[in-house]
């Protein structure tokens, strides 16, 4: 699993592991945050979150919802009573 890329000069590179996803938008209505992000076919995605920055990202809780990427922008909804949260999308 990984990503190949080639430059205009013909340099080929390979990065092992799932392609990083990009969060395209986050919206909130009531107690539900909708996190939209890019996916790669076949990777499993989840959302981690925190209401305080400063700790290690590895310690952020993981939302129980996961999905399998299909190459499109997908959505995970996260329910929380906190008014401010920070999100990160992880791929396995």
């Amino acid at each position: 699993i990984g990503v190949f890329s080639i430059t205009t000069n013909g340099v080929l590179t390979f990065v092992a592991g799932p392609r990083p996803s990009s969060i395209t938008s986050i919206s909130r209505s009531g107690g539900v945050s909708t996190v939209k992000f890019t996916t790669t076919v076949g990777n499993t995605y989840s959302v981690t979150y925190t209401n305080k920055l400063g700790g290690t990202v590895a310690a952020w809780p993981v939302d129980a919802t996961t999905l399998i990427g299909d190459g499109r922008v997908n959505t995970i909804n996260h329910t929380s009573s906190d008014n401010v949260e920070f999100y990160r999308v992880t791929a396995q």
Side-chain angles (χ1 to χ4, degrees), residues 37 39 43-48 62-69 74-78 89-92:
F37 54 94
T39 67
N43 290 335
T44 302
Y45 294 90
S46 57
V47 170
T48 60
V62 179
D63 188 275
T65 304
T66 61
L67 61 84
I68 305 294
N74 282 284
T75 302
I76 290 181
N77 293 318
H78 172 73
V89 175
T90 58
Q92 294 97 26

PDB file of all heavy atoms in Angstrom, residues 37 39 43-48 62-69 74-78 89-92:
ATOM      1  N   PHE A  37     -13.943  14.638   4.180  1.00  0.00           N
ATOM      2  CA  PHE A  37     -12.525  14.468   3.874  1.00  0.00           C
ATOM      3  C   PHE A  37     -12.342  13.584   2.650  1.00  0.00           C
ATOM      4  O   PHE A  37     -13.225  12.802   2.285  1.00  0.00           O
ATOM      5  CB  PHE A  37     -11.806  13.856   5.087  1.00  0.00           C
ATOM      6  CG  PHE A  37     -12.432  12.587   5.578  1.00  0.00           C
ATOM      7  CD1 PHE A  37     -11.979  11.361   5.134  1.00  0.00           C
ATOM      8  CD2 PHE A  37     -13.487  12.623   6.478  1.00  0.00           C
ATOM      9  CE1 PHE A  37     -12.567  10.181   5.581  1.00  0.00           C
ATOM     10  CE2 PHE A  37     -14.073  11.455   6.934  1.00  0.00           C
ATOM     11  CZ  PHE A  37     -13.616  10.232   6.481  1.00  0.00           C
ATOM     12  N   THR A  39     -10.732  10.535   0.406  1.00  0.00           N
ATOM     13  CA  THR A  39     -10.386   9.146   0.703  1.00  0.00           C
ATOM     14  C   THR A  39      -9.674   8.512  -0.483  1.00  0.00           C
ATOM     15  O   THR A  39      -9.745   9.002  -1.608  1.00  0.00           O
ATOM     16  CB  THR A  39     -11.632   8.304   1.032  1.00  0.00           C
ATOM     17  OG1 THR A  39     -12.452   8.185  -0.141  1.00  0.00           O
ATOM     18  CG2 THR A  39     -12.426   8.898   2.174  1.00  0.00           C
ATOM     19  N   ASN A  43      -8.831   2.102   1.797  1.00  0.00           N
ATOM     20  CA  ASN A  43      -8.318   2.440   3.123  1.00  0.00           C
ATOM     21  C   ASN A  43      -9.475   2.601   4.108  1.00  0.00           C
ATOM     22  O   ASN A  43     -10.557   3.039   3.736  1.00  0.00           O
ATOM     23  CB  ASN A  43      -7.515   3.733   3.093  1.00  0.00           C
ATOM     24  CG  ASN A  43      -6.205   3.586   2.359  1.00  0.00           C
ATOM     25  OD1 ASN A  43      -5.658   2.498   2.257  1.00  0.00           O
ATOM     26  ND2 ASN A  43      -5.694   4.677   1.836  1.00  0.00           N
ATOM     27  N   THR A  44      -9.235   2.263   5.371  1.00  0.00           N
ATOM     28  CA  THR A  44     -10.226   2.429   6.430  1.00  0.00           C
ATOM     29  C   THR A  44      -9.933   3.728   7.160  1.00  0.00           C
ATOM     30  O   THR A  44      -8.794   3.961   7.581  1.00  0.00           O
ATOM     31  CB  THR A  44     -10.166   1.253   7.423  1.00  0.00           C
ATOM     32  OG1 THR A  44     -10.399   0.040   6.697  1.00  0.00           O
ATOM     33  CG2 THR A  44     -11.211   1.399   8.509  1.00  0.00           C
ATOM     34  N   TYR A  45     -10.944   4.572   7.324  1.00  0.00           N
ATOM     35  CA  TYR A  45     -10.780   5.902   7.908  1.00  0.00           C
ATOM     36  C   TYR A  45     -11.555   6.045   9.208  1.00  0.00           C
ATOM     37  O   TYR A  45     -12.623   5.459   9.374  1.00  0.00           O
ATOM     38  CB  TYR A  45     -11.268   6.982   6.929  1.00  0.00           C
ATOM     39  CG  TYR A  45     -10.416   7.066   5.697  1.00  0.00           C
ATOM     40  CD1 TYR A  45     -10.704   6.296   4.582  1.00  0.00           C
ATOM     41  CD2 TYR A  45      -9.301   7.902   5.660  1.00  0.00           C
ATOM     42  CE1 TYR A  45      -9.910   6.352   3.452  1.00  0.00           C
ATOM     43  CE2 TYR A  45      -8.509   7.957   4.538  1.00  0.00           C
ATOM     44  CZ  TYR A  45      -8.814   7.187   3.438  1.00  0.00           C
ATOM     45  OH  TYR A  45      -8.009   7.244   2.328  1.00  0.00           O
ATOM     46  N   SER A  46     -11.006   6.839  10.107  1.00  0.00           N
ATOM     47  CA  SER A  46     -11.697   7.206  11.338  1.00  0.00           C
ATOM     48  C   SER A  46     -11.312   8.648  11.684  1.00  0.00           C
ATOM     49  O   SER A  46     -10.368   9.210  11.124  1.00  0.00           O
ATOM     50  CB  SER A  46     -11.347   6.260  12.480  1.00  0.00           C
ATOM     51  OG  SER A  46      -9.956   6.246  12.698  1.00  0.00           O
ATOM     52  N   VAL A  47     -12.055   9.223  12.613  1.00  0.00           N
ATOM     53  CA  VAL A  47     -11.824  10.605  13.041  1.00  0.00           C
ATOM     54  C   VAL A  47     -11.371  10.589  14.495  1.00  0.00           C
ATOM     55  O   VAL A  47     -11.979   9.923  15.333  1.00  0.00           O
ATOM     56  CB  VAL A  47     -13.107  11.450  12.888  1.00  0.00           C
ATOM     57  CG1 VAL A  47     -12.962  12.804  13.539  1.00  0.00           C
ATOM     58  CG2 VAL A  47     -13.465  11.609  11.419  1.00  0.00           C
ATOM     59  N   THR A  48     -10.293  11.306  14.775  1.00  0.00           N
ATOM     60  CA  THR A  48      -9.884  11.526  16.158  1.00  0.00           C
ATOM     61  C   THR A  48     -10.202  12.974  16.486  1.00  0.00           C
ATOM     62  O   THR A  48     -10.296  13.819  15.599  1.00  0.00           O
ATOM     63  CB  THR A  48      -8.388  11.243  16.375  1.00  0.00           C
ATOM     64  OG1 THR A  48      -7.611  12.104  15.556  1.00  0.00           O
ATOM     65  CG2 THR A  48      -8.050   9.793  16.047  1.00  0.00           C
ATOM     66  N   VAL A  62     -10.735   8.338  19.646  1.00  0.00           N
ATOM     67  CA  VAL A  62     -11.131   7.961  18.285  1.00  0.00           C
ATOM     68  C   VAL A  62     -12.636   7.761  18.261  1.00  0.00           C
ATOM     69  O   VAL A  62     -13.182   7.021  19.084  1.00  0.00           O
ATOM     70  CB  VAL A  62     -10.421   6.659  17.842  1.00  0.00           C
ATOM     71  CG1 VAL A  62     -10.856   6.266  16.445  1.00  0.00           C
ATOM     72  CG2 VAL A  62      -8.914   6.813  17.925  1.00  0.00           C
ATOM     73  N   ASP A  63     -13.316   8.432  17.335  1.00  0.00           N
ATOM     74  CA  ASP A  63     -14.748   8.221  17.156  1.00  0.00           C
ATOM     75  C   ASP A  63     -14.968   6.776  16.714  1.00  0.00           C
ATOM     76  O   ASP A  63     -14.170   6.226  15.946  1.00  0.00           O
ATOM     77  CB  ASP A  63     -15.295   9.188  16.095  1.00  0.00           C
ATOM     78  CG  ASP A  63     -16.807   9.155  16.009  1.00  0.00           C
ATOM     79  OD1 ASP A  63     -17.338   8.276  15.293  1.00  0.00           O
ATOM     80  OD2 ASP A  63     -17.453   9.989  16.651  1.00  0.00           O
ATOM     81  N   ALA A  64     -16.034   6.146  17.182  1.00  0.00           N
ATOM     82  CA  ALA A  64     -16.297   4.735  16.891  1.00  0.00           C
ATOM     83  C   ALA A  64     -16.648   4.475  15.429  1.00  0.00           C
ATOM     84  O   ALA A  64     -16.520   3.351  14.941  1.00  0.00           O
ATOM     85  CB  ALA A  64     -17.418   4.221  17.783  1.00  0.00           C
ATOM     86  N   THR A  65     -17.072   5.502  14.701  1.00  0.00           N
ATOM     87  CA  THR A  65     -17.470   5.335  13.307  1.00  0.00           C
ATOM     88  C   THR A  65     -16.233   5.203  12.419  1.00  0.00           C
ATOM     89  O   THR A  65     -15.299   5.983  12.524  1.00  0.00           O
ATOM     90  CB  THR A  65     -18.296   6.544  12.833  1.00  0.00           C
ATOM     91  OG1 THR A  65     -19.408   6.710  13.703  1.00  0.00           O
ATOM     92  CG2 THR A  65     -18.779   6.363  11.407  1.00  0.00           C
ATOM     93  N   THR A  66     -16.227   4.201  11.553  1.00  0.00           N
ATOM     94  CA  THR A  66     -15.177   4.058  10.541  1.00  0.00           C
ATOM     95  C   THR A  66     -15.849   3.883   9.188  1.00  0.00           C
ATOM     96  O   THR A  66     -17.036   3.565   9.112  1.00  0.00           O
ATOM     97  CB  THR A  66     -14.273   2.837  10.811  1.00  0.00           C
ATOM     98  OG1 THR A  66     -15.068   1.656  10.769  1.00  0.00           O
ATOM     99  CG2 THR A  66     -13.568   2.952  12.150  1.00  0.00           C
ATOM    100  N   LEU A  67     -15.087   4.110   8.128  1.00  0.00           N
ATOM    101  CA  LEU A  67     -15.602   3.847   6.788  1.00  0.00           C
ATOM    102  C   LEU A  67     -14.469   3.433   5.880  1.00  0.00           C
ATOM    103  O   LEU A  67     -13.305   3.716   6.151  1.00  0.00           O
ATOM    104  CB  LEU A  67     -16.379   5.041   6.223  1.00  0.00           C
ATOM    105  CG  LEU A  67     -15.678   6.375   6.017  1.00  0.00           C
ATOM    106  CD1 LEU A  67     -14.938   6.421   4.697  1.00  0.00           C
ATOM    107  CD2 LEU A  67     -16.702   7.486   6.027  1.00  0.00           C
ATOM    108  N   ILE A  68     -14.827   2.749   4.807  1.00  0.00           N
ATOM    109  CA  ILE A  68     -13.866   2.316   3.800  1.00  0.00           C
ATOM    110  C   ILE A  68     -13.876   3.347   2.674  1.00  0.00           C
ATOM    111  O   ILE A  68     -14.942   3.692   2.150  1.00  0.00           O
ATOM    112  CB  ILE A  68     -14.235   0.927   3.221  1.00  0.00           C
ATOM    113  CG1 ILE A  68     -14.382  -0.103   4.325  1.00  0.00           C
ATOM    114  CG2 ILE A  68     -13.194   0.494   2.182  1.00  0.00           C
ATOM    115  CD1 ILE A  68     -13.123  -0.430   5.067  1.00  0.00           C
ATOM    116  N   GLY A  69     -12.699   3.841   2.314  1.00  0.00           N
ATOM    117  CA  GLY A  69     -12.599   4.853   1.265  1.00  0.00           C
ATOM    118  C   GLY A  69     -12.999   4.329  -0.092  1.00  0.00           C
ATOM    119  O   GLY A  69     -12.782   3.168  -0.418  1.00  0.00           O
ATOM    120  N   ASN A  74     -15.788  11.763   1.570  1.00  0.00           N
ATOM    121  CA  ASN A  74     -16.730  11.052   2.424  1.00  0.00           C
ATOM    122  C   ASN A  74     -16.941  11.828   3.714  1.00  0.00           C
ATOM    123  O   ASN A  74     -16.228  12.796   3.995  1.00  0.00           O
ATOM    124  CB  ASN A  74     -16.219   9.647   2.732  1.00  0.00           C
ATOM    125  CG  ASN A  74     -16.430   8.708   1.572  1.00  0.00           C
ATOM    126  OD1 ASN A  74     -17.535   8.251   1.333  1.00  0.00           O
ATOM    127  ND2 ASN A  74     -15.362   8.433   0.837  1.00  0.00           N
ATOM    128  N   THR A  75     -17.880  11.374   4.514  1.00  0.00           N
ATOM    129  CA  THR A  75     -18.289  12.091   5.727  1.00  0.00           C
ATOM    130  C   THR A  75     -18.363  11.157   6.919  1.00  0.00           C
ATOM    131  O   THR A  75     -18.856  10.040   6.806  1.00  0.00           O
ATOM    132  CB  THR A  75     -19.687  12.714   5.511  1.00  0.00           C
ATOM    133  OG1 THR A  75     -19.644  13.587   4.390  1.00  0.00           O
ATOM    134  CG2 THR A  75     -20.146  13.475   6.723  1.00  0.00           C
ATOM    135  N   ILE A  76     -17.863  11.643   8.059  1.00  0.00           N
ATOM    136  CA  ILE A  76     -18.113  10.998   9.341  1.00  0.00           C
ATOM    137  C   ILE A  76     -18.738  12.052  10.241  1.00  0.00           C
ATOM    138  O   ILE A  76     -18.236  13.178  10.332  1.00  0.00           O
ATOM    139  CB  ILE A  76     -16.831  10.426   9.982  1.00  0.00           C
ATOM    140  CG1 ILE A  76     -16.336   9.217   9.183  1.00  0.00           C
ATOM    141  CG2 ILE A  76     -17.079  10.042  11.445  1.00  0.00           C
ATOM    142  CD1 ILE A  76     -15.082   8.566   9.737  1.00  0.00           C
ATOM    143  N   ASN A  77     -19.853  11.705  10.886  1.00  0.00           N
ATOM    144  CA  ASN A  77     -20.513  12.598  11.830  1.00  0.00           C
ATOM    145  C   ASN A  77     -20.047  12.239  13.244  1.00  0.00           C
ATOM    146  O   ASN A  77     -20.015  11.071  13.615  1.00  0.00           O
ATOM    147  CB  ASN A  77     -22.029  12.470  11.734  1.00  0.00           C
ATOM    148  CG  ASN A  77     -22.538  12.982  10.414  1.00  0.00           C
ATOM    149  OD1 ASN A  77     -22.101  14.007   9.914  1.00  0.00           O
ATOM    150  ND2 ASN A  77     -23.462  12.257   9.824  1.00  0.00           N
ATOM    151  N   HIS A  78     -19.699  13.269  14.007  1.00  0.00           N
ATOM    152  CA  HIS A  78     -19.239  13.073  15.385  1.00  0.00           C
ATOM    153  C   HIS A  78     -20.165  13.843  16.319  1.00  0.00           C
ATOM    154  O   HIS A  78     -20.359  15.041  16.154  1.00  0.00           O
ATOM    155  CB  HIS A  78     -17.799  13.562  15.537  1.00  0.00           C
ATOM    156  CG  HIS A  78     -17.331  13.578  16.951  1.00  0.00           C
ATOM    157  ND1 HIS A  78     -17.036  12.434  17.652  1.00  0.00           N
ATOM    158  CD2 HIS A  78     -17.130  14.604  17.806  1.00  0.00           C
ATOM    159  CE1 HIS A  78     -16.663  12.760  18.867  1.00  0.00           C
ATOM    160  NE2 HIS A  78     -16.719  14.067  18.993  1.00  0.00           N
ATOM    161  N   VAL A  89      -8.243  13.237  10.662  1.00  0.00           N
ATOM    162  CA  VAL A  89      -8.684  12.013  10.001  1.00  0.00           C
ATOM    163  C   VAL A  89      -7.479  11.087   9.896  1.00  0.00           C
ATOM    164  O   VAL A  89      -6.401  11.506   9.477  1.00  0.00           O
ATOM    165  CB  VAL A  89      -9.269  12.322   8.610  1.00  0.00           C
ATOM    166  CG1 VAL A  89      -9.608  11.031   7.868  1.00  0.00           C
ATOM    167  CG2 VAL A  89     -10.499  13.205   8.724  1.00  0.00           C
ATOM    168  N   THR A  90      -7.671   9.828  10.291  1.00  0.00           N
ATOM    169  CA  THR A  90      -6.589   8.854  10.190  1.00  0.00           C
ATOM    170  C   THR A  90      -6.996   7.723   9.263  1.00  0.00           C
ATOM    171  O   THR A  90      -8.181   7.398   9.133  1.00  0.00           O
ATOM    172  CB  THR A  90      -6.222   8.263  11.570  1.00  0.00           C
ATOM    173  OG1 THR A  90      -7.379   7.652  12.147  1.00  0.00           O
ATOM    174  CG2 THR A  90      -5.730   9.346  12.510  1.00  0.00           C
ATOM    175  N   ALA A  91      -6.014   7.140   8.591  1.00  0.00           N
ATOM    176  CA  ALA A  91      -6.249   6.026   7.682  1.00  0.00           C
ATOM    177  C   ALA A  91      -5.404   4.835   8.110  1.00  0.00           C
ATOM    178  O   ALA A  91      -4.283   4.998   8.577  1.00  0.00           O
ATOM    179  CB  ALA A  91      -5.883   6.421   6.259  1.00  0.00           C
ATOM    180  N   GLN A  92      -5.982   3.653   7.965  1.00  0.00           N
ATOM    181  CA  GLN A  92      -5.241   2.421   8.255  1.00  0.00           C
ATOM    182  C   GLN A  92      -5.184   1.591   7.002  1.00  0.00           C
ATOM    183  O   GLN A  92      -6.032   1.613   6.195  1.00  0.00           O
ATOM    184  CB  GLN A  92      -5.924   1.581   9.341  1.00  0.00           C
ATOM    185  CG  GLN A  92      -5.941   2.239  10.693  1.00  0.00           C
ATOM    186  CD  GLN A  92      -7.236   2.971  10.990  1.00  0.00           C
ATOM    187  OE1 GLN A  92      -8.274   2.648  10.474  1.00  0.00           O
ATOM    188  NE2 GLN A  92      -7.151   3.979  11.802  1.00  0.00           N
TER     189      GLN A  92
END
